[in-house]
């Protein structure tokens, strides 16, 4: 999927964009996604277990541009660096920013910088420097007309300011419609969902 507003491709963390809403809001088992194998997962069960945790890998795929590795190839790389961990009960934890940044730098040659404290104004400054920003937001950002249920827990890739310069354009790996997968929001609205942290990457190649 292409974007008319920026060079970054539009990827979702579930392979079938048309099923994202059914999965994240309707309770559909991700294992029923008929395109699961395109993710690089070894089985529908592995895909179903992990895909909901891979918003960061979907953002990285978009930041790498066309020809990026599969979602699970990126997952494997991040996992090897400690970007994800599993506890004794098999609970998946991550994305852990510092090892993820090392992975991105050493395996993909991208200058990744962790921002444990990042203001909305700081996001705009990074965009003006030609960077993209993986920002921690609440997944409820796909419904900006509603009150924000919280902040953080999900990652989106911010690629540019809006045309008027006062908002942000971003790609949401769990967007349920075309308009929420490649979205624009005024900065004060975005801020309601934003946790104040993230990772910046180079601009997406055109």
């Amino acid at each position: 999927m292409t974007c008319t507003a920026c060079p970054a491709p539009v990827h979702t963390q579930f392979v079938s964009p048309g099923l994202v809403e059914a999965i994240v809001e309707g309770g559909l088992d991700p294992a029923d996604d008929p395109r699961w194998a395109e993710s690089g997962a070894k089985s529908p069960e592995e895909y179903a277990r992990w895909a909901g945790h891979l918003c960061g890998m979907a953002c990285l795929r978009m930041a790498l541009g066309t020809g990026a590795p599969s979602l699970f190839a990126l997952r494997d790389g991040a996992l090897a660096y400690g970007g994800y961990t599993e506890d004794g009960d098999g609970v998946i934890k991550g994305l852990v920013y510092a090892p993820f940044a090392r992975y991105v730098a050493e395996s993909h040659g991208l200058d990744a910088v962790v921002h444990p404290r990042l203001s909305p104004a700081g996001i705009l400054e990074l965009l003006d420097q030609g960077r993209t920003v993986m920002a921690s937001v609440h997944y409820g950002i796909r419904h900006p007309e509603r009150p924000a249920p919280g902040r953080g827990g999900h990652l989106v890739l911010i690629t540019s300011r809006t045309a008027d310069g006062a908002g942000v354009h971003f790609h949401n790996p769990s967007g349920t419609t075309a308009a929420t997968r490649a979205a624009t929001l005024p900065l004060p609205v975005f801020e309601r969902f934003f946790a104040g942290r993230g990772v910046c990457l180079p601009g997406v190649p055109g």
Side-chain angles (χ1 to χ4, degrees), residues 50-147:
W50 273 92
H53 298 274
L54 298 183
C55 51
M57 297 304 97
C59 287
L60 177 57
R61 283 194 80 209
M62 293 187 277
L64 289 169
T66 57
S70 71
L71 193 66
F72 275 73
L74 296 175
R75 187 282 312 257
D76 290 344
L79 191 60
Y81 273 77
Y84 292 100
T85 62
E86 297 181 68
D87 66 17
D89 295 323
V91 176
I92 299 166
K93 298 182 178 180
L95 188 65
V96 186
Y97 290 171
F100 167 73
R102 288 195 297 273
Y103 161 61
V104 170
E106 294 179 13
S107 297
H108 300 286
L110 300 184
D111 175 27
V113 180
V114 177
H115 294 269
R117 294 181 183 82
L118 183 60
S119 67
I123 290 175
L124 297 183
E125 291 174 6
L126 290 168
L127 295 175
D128 290 345
Q129 294 166 19
R131 308 282 284 178
T132 59
V133 181
M134 287 174 51
S136 177
V137 301
H138 192 278
Y139 62 79
I141 199 166
R142 60 179 172 256
H143 295 296
E145 73 283 0
R146 302 176 186 173

Side-chain angles (χ1 to χ4, degrees), residues 137-185:
V137 301
H138 192 278
Y139 62 79
I141 199 166
R142 60 179 172 256
H143 295 296
E145 73 283 0
R146 302 176 186 173
R151 298 171 184 257
H154 179 59
L155 288 162
V156 299
L157 182 70
I158 308 173
T159 63
S160 64
R161 290 182 183 244
T162 51
D164 63 6
V168 289
H169 170 75
F170 60 95
H171 292 185
N172 181 359
S174 70
T176 53
T177 64
T180 59
R181 288 190 280 272
T184 58
L185 285 178

